[in-house]
Amino acid sequence: MAAQNSSLPRWDLSNVYAALAAGDFRADVALVEKHLDAIDGLIAGEGIARLEGPPADLSAATRALDSLLGEFNAVRPVLSTLAAYAHSFVTTDSYNQAAARVLSELEQLELRLEKQFTRFQAWTGSLERVLGDICAASATAAEHRLALEDIVRDSRHLMSTDLEDLAAELQLSGGGVMWKLQGGVLSQLKGAIERDGRVETLPITLLRNLASDPSEDVRRRAYEAEQQAYATVRTPVAFALNCVKGAAVTLARRRGFEDVIHVSLEHNRIDRPTLEALLGTIREYFPVFRRYLLAKAVKLGKPRLAWWDLAAPVGRANPTYTWDQASRFIVEQFGRFSDELAAFAAQAFERRWIDAEPRDGKRGGAFCMRVPKVEESRILANFDGTFDGMVTLAHELGHAYHNRCQQGLPMLLRGSPMVLGETASIFCETLVFNAALEHCSADEQLAVLENQILGATQVTLDISSRFIFESEVVRRRAQAELSADDFCEIMLAAQEETYGEALEPEHRNPYMWLWKPHYYYGDLQFYNYPYAFGLLFGLGVYACYRQQGTAFIPRYRELLRSTGAGPAADLAGRFGIDIRARDFWRGSLDVIAAQVERFVALEG
């Protein structure tokens, strides 16, 4: 392996706070409390609560709205930074009890802010008929108009204030704790594998990295060790999943949503026709992805794949990268798009915004988090020296660049619904992939092409299996609790429906529900299809760039800057994209289909 743990960076947050117990950290905690006290004063003094009709005094309501917007925009970057800083310790060392305690204290402040914002939402919903007049009278309200319209829509699904308060409080002792339980258990889980005549006990993240080992024997042993490890923790993690999905079913019903999927659609600012167009079109292309998997099996000398073969390298040569090589390549290729993007990536590497080393106690996978106080981001990765590891870095840097493009905006106008949150990451991923395919040797082309198609398969075919799984879990959880065996059965059935004949039936992965943290987020249901949306939307945006060239760059930055408010269809429409039409999704899937045909034709 090209990358050695000793050479990989850990992230540096010394410019944020000196330490969790330091004076600057505690000072910001006090500042957050001061802002929250001010919001409480406004809520009490201005009678901020759901009204039976429009406010009697429009001028007073406008002043109250301006003041509340100011306070929310002031407190959120500070509290978000405090939470990100604490998360930087908890996600890289689940044994750190002091950091976990600090994070729990911050969650109490987040709970208080959530309760305040719920009252604000209910009150703002009462302003719907006069919102235009308020925006005409207030520059602050006008600037926030799209965000306020989102808040008005959200207010239609609020329970009473007392019930919303109770739901928020129970999140800390219910659904929110279950995410911590799953993460804590998995970050400390280990499995024993025999290699080279000796038995090693490895963290689950390192076992999963062996899924791309050139040796099938190693991959199979790692898969078996992983499955055995999962079996030892399946009962408590199944309990956690029951808790999260049971709460989701109850809250969706009490808030007047049609079902749990409806909650996700509102959260993502899309509608059912959009989701149906996306998933329906992907289903049309299932045979394309199965064709790729069966062709991969042939290249590996097998009739079809076992689960441990999905990430197996193919081809005569597989590119590997040291950390320095990967970082240089990413910066160079980003520079082919724009100097700004290249300089941004170089800054992230030079200032150690990335924690890249896999280790015991660290969460698996990768993510990017915003640190708004310093207008920066931090990226967690588990770099293994593979091409996929390099592409993952490019992906997460795309998220960080998305954050950079929103620099200076009020906090209420930042962020993105999940479906648009992958736009920049897929764009950056595509830049690196296309360049790697262009620069690699003839022997490496197959491996590079295969890596990209495998990633596309994971966020279309595998994501479809996860959507099917979660849909069935939610349906059945409304009637009764499910056992670990139930979850395994549902997962295997979902994999059969999606992967079909491309995978050996006896060698699939019944425990995918246990590994993926996305199922355990108490406030994010169906955190699966947004990845598929993001991939295909990102490919569509990249196609716009290829057609328009450098003239597209300022429009691209505008798109990323604008994702924080308004329905996704409206934003896409500004760029000539109809996300409710299957033809748009087919266009992106055809790009992948062409890659599959090229893969099939290449000798391996």
Side-chain angles (χ1 to χ4, degrees):
M1 182 176 295
Q4 300 297 322
N5 284 357
S6 60
S7 67
L8 297 177
R10 299 188 181 192
W11 48 26
D12 177 17
L13 286 97
S14 59
N15 68 321
V16 183
Y17 299 112
L20 283 170
D24 54 356
F25 186 90
R26 303 314 305 176
D28 268 1
V29 171
L31 179 60
V32 167
E33 291 171 340
K34 180 180 177 181
H35 282 300
L36 296 180
D37 288 343
I39 295 171
D40 278 339
L42 284 167
I43 288 173
E46 301 293 342
I48 303 301
R50 191 184 298 277
L51 306 175
E52 293 302 319
D57 187 338
L58 192 61
S59 295
T62 301
R63 289 194 297 272
L65 180 64
D66 284 355
S67 296
L68 284 164
L69 289 172
E71 287 295 337
F72 284 127
N73 279 321
V75 71
R76 284 192 172 196
V78 185
L79 184 50
S80 294
T81 299
L82 289 166
Y85 189 74
H87 269 291
S88 74
F89 292 91
V90 173
T91 56
T92 56
D93 181 10
S94 62
Y95 299 101
N96 189 331
Q97 295 304 307
R101 184 169 58 253
V102 170
L103 186 59
S104 181
E105 292 169 358
L106 293 174
E107 286 171 345
Q108 294 295 329
L109 298 178
E110 290 174 333
L111 171 63
R112 187 177 169 192
L113 178 60
E114 182 180 351
K115 289 180 177 180
Q116 293 172 337
F117 198 73
T118 297
R119 284 162 172 75
F120 176 68
Q121 283 179 301
W123 177 73
T124 303
S126 308
L127 307 179
E128 181 173 10
R129 283 188 285 171
V130 295
L131 189 58
D133 296 330
I134 290 175
C135 289
S138 163
T140 299
E143 181 184 19
H144 289 78
R145 176 141 193 178
L146 287 176
L148 291 170
E149 289 174 352
D150 285 343
I151 291 169
V152 167
R153 281 190 291 271
D154 291 340
S155 73
R156 297 167 188 161
H157 290 286
L158 288 176
M159 300 182 287
S160 68
T161 299
D162 287 345
L163 286 178
E164 288 292 347
D165 284 352
L166 178 61
E169 290 173 16
L170 289 176
Q171 173 67 9
L172 289 188
S173 58
V177 173
M178 296 303 104
W179 175 79
K180 292 180 183 177
L181 187 153
Q182 187 268 351
V185 167
L186 270 293
S187 67
Q188 298 180 20
L189 187 62
K190 300 178 181 66
I193 178 174
E194 182 181 347
R195 289 193 296 173
D196 302 324
R198 63 188 182 92
V199 176
E200 299 176 87
T201 299
L202 300 176
I204 203 72
T205 50
L206 294 181
L207 275 177
R208 287 185 59 80
N209 281 348
L210 293 176
S212 58
D213 194 275
S215 167
E216 180 175 5
D217 184 61
V218 171
R219 296 196 306 271
R220 177 183 57 78
R221 288 175 184 270
Y223 164 85
E224 291 171 349
E226 191 181 346
Q227 297 296 304
Q228 291 166 7
Y230 290 152
T232 66
V233 297
R234 60 187 234 141
T235 298
V237 180
F239 176 86
L241 190 53
N242 270 296
C243 177
V244 172
K245 298 311 172 190
V249 169
T250 299
L251 288 172
R253 182 174 64 248
R254 294 300 298 265
R255 287 175 172 146
F257 289 99
E258 297 170 23
D259 49 31
V260 178
I261 294 177
H262 186 195
V263 179
S264 175
L265 294 174
E266 289 292 319
H267 187 85
N268 279 289
R269 306 295 182 219
I270 64 172
D271 52 24
R272 286 187 192 268
T274 298
L275 181 63
E276 290 165 0
L278 170 69
L279 295 180
T281 311
I282 290 173
R283 185 172 288 272
E284 289 178 18
Y285 283 72
F286 278 2
V288 171
F289 293 102
R290 292 172 183 168
R291 174 169 165 77
Y292 148 67
L293 293 171
L294 289 169
K296 177 170 183 173
V298 170
K299 294 180 192 303
L300 293 174
K302 309 179 71 169
R304 51 183 162 179
L305 300 177
W307 190 270
W308 60 76
D309 295 318
L310 283 172
V314 296
R316 291 181 292 272
N318 294 282
T320 58
Y321 304 84
T322 64
W323 178 256
D324 288 342
Q325 287 170 340
S327 57
R328 282 198 303 270
F329 189 81
I330 289 171
V331 171
E332 288 170 5
Q333 305 321 315
F334 282 8
R336 297 177 68 181
F337 172 71
S338 78
D339 292 340
E340 178 204 16
L341 181 59
F344 173 78
Q347 181 183 49
F349 287 116
E350 291 164 5
R351 297 188 180 179
R352 290 197 292 120
W353 291 3
I354 304 168
D355 193 296
E357 177 196 31
R359 57 190 181 272
D360 184 24
K362 181 179 176 180
R363 277 186 173 266
F367 65 75
C368 174
M369 62 182 181
R370 189 193 303 263
V371 190
K373 180 181 177 180
V374 292
E375 291 289 10
E376 294 175 357
S377 297
R378 291 297 184 272
I379 291 167
L380 180 143
N382 284 274
F383 184 71
D384 60 358
T386 63
F387 177 71
D388 182 62
M390 182 175 69
V391 169
T392 297
L393 290 176
H395 180 103
E396 299 304 333
L397 284 166
H399 286 302
Y401 180 69
H402 194 160
N403 293 340
R404 170 62 63 87
C405 287
Q406 295 187 343
Q407 186 172 332
L409 285 175
M411 285 299 289
L412 289 174
L413 294 175
R414 297 196 192 193
S416 172
M418 289 182 291
V419 291
L420 296 176
E422 298 298 320
T423 304
S425 57
I426 296 299
F427 193 96
C428 287
E429 200 178 299
T430 305
L431 287 172
V432 168
F433 160 71
N434 286 343
L437 196 61
E438 176 185 331
H439 287 86
C440 68
S441 68
D443 286 344
E444 292 175 331
Q445 280 189 17
L446 182 62
V448 170
L449 185 63
E450 197 272 335
N451 181 274
Q452 189 71 2
I453 303 172
L454 174 62
T457 302
Q458 289 174 330
V459 294
T460 50
L461 204 65
D462 192 60
I463 284 295
S464 295
S465 75
R466 294 187 222 170
F467 180 85
I468 293 166
F469 168 81
E470 191 164 355
S471 298
E472 181 64 9
V473 166
V474 166
R475 185 189 70 79
R476 289 168 61 170
R477 183 62 185 86
Q479 308 302 319
E481 290 185 4
L482 290 86
S483 67
D485 283 343
D486 292 329
F487 291 132
C488 289
E489 169 211 325
I490 297 169
M491 181 57 75
L492 288 173
Q495 290 171 1
E496 167 63 27
E497 187 173 341
T498 50
Y499 287 93
E501 72 280 6
L503 283 184
E504 294 178 0
E506 65 274 21
H507 292 137
R508 292 178 179 149
N509 193 335
Y511 287 118
M512 281 294 285
W513 60 271
L514 192 151
W515 166 255
K516 288 294 178 185
H518 305 72
Y519 298 124
Y520 300 86
Y521 297 145
D523 56 350
L524 289 178
Q525 307 305 315
F526 287 92
Y527 193 3
N528 37 56
Y529 70 82
Y531 283 101
F533 188 112
L535 168 68
L536 301 180
F537 187 79
L539 287 175
V541 170
Y542 186 80
C544 292
Y545 162 61
R546 293 298 295 268
Q547 292 167 1
Q548 300 174 30
T550 56
F552 176 75
I553 294 176
R555 299 189 69 216
Y556 175 65
R557 285 198 295 263
E558 177 195 350
L559 185 154
L560 297 180
R561 189 170 178 81
S562 305
T563 57
D570 291 353
L571 179 62
R574 284 162 48 188
F575 292 84
I577 297 171
D578 182 1
I579 59 176
R580 298 186 182 98
R582 289 199 178 195
D583 281 348
F584 168 70
W585 303 114
R586 288 186 184 114
S588 295
L589 284 159
D590 282 341
V591 172
I592 302 169
Q595 293 173 353
V596 168
E597 291 307 312
R598 182 175 176 181
F599 173 84
V600 171
L602 286 172
E603 294 184 5

